[in-house]
Amino acid sequence: MAGNSPCASCKLLRRRCTKDCIFAPYFPSNDPQKFALVHKVFGASNVSKMLQELPIEQRADAVSSLVYEAHARVRDPVYGCVGAISYLQNQVSELQMQLAVAQAEILCIQMQHEPVMPNPEMENPDQKSYLLQNELPEFLNYASSSNVIYDAVSRDNIYGHDMVS
């Protein structure tokens, strides 16, 4: 309790805020929406039990996680944080695939510009490998990095706030 002002949880629950209120350090009176959201999703009693079971040095991180999960649950009641994590993992996979295609294109271009070393085992030195002649250029042109459509998403538009606090 800061001065005589009750914390956000005691204000919302309409009770007297004592000096040993478990919510006061984490839900200040100047940010009532923070507790209201956590209370709506988890319930004050459950949050109180969770905080009491944790060591004091871990409570701030737990509250931060509860607030984030509560935001996620309000925006996506079924998947919550898992929906955001899944979305980001898919985006990473797509970007890794685009990177691999771009690296393959660079390799192909480098191979086309390097002089071909004659191989004594080849009958015709002008003959390129089957892969370079037929399938590799076709593969590379199929999903060129210049024609891959991707959605650039900033971190703050997934849940309306910075994901890393």
Side-chain angles (χ1 to χ4, degrees), residues 1-23:
M1 183 167 104
N4 292 336
S5 179
C7 67
S9 64
C10 291
K11 273 186 184 178
L12 184 73
L13 300 173
R14 297 180 183 183
R15 63 183 187 191
R16 184 180 172 129
C17 191
T18 62
K19 64 179 177 143
D20 60 340
C21 175
I22 195 158
F23 296 118

Side-chain angles (χ1 to χ4, degrees), residues 24-60:
Y26 315 107
F27 299 103
S29 61
N30 62 354
D31 193 5
Q33 293 82 16
K34 184 176 172 181
F35 180 76
L37 190 61
V38 171
H39 173 59
K40 179 180 179 181
V41 174
F42 298 105
S45 178
N46 290 330
V47 173
S48 175
K49 288 176 190 174
M50 283 188 253
L51 292 177
Q52 287 173 352
E53 290 177 6
L54 289 173
I56 294 173
E57 61 272 3
Q58 293 179 354
R59 290 178 184 176

Side-chain angles (χ1 to χ4, degrees), residues 128-147:
K128 293 183 181 178
S129 73
Y130 178 79
L131 186 61
L132 284 177
Q133 274 184 344
N134 298 316
E135 294 178 9
L136 185 60
E138 182 181 318
F139 169 75
L140 292 176
N141 289 332
Y142 175 72
S144 169
S145 62
S146 61
N147 64 13

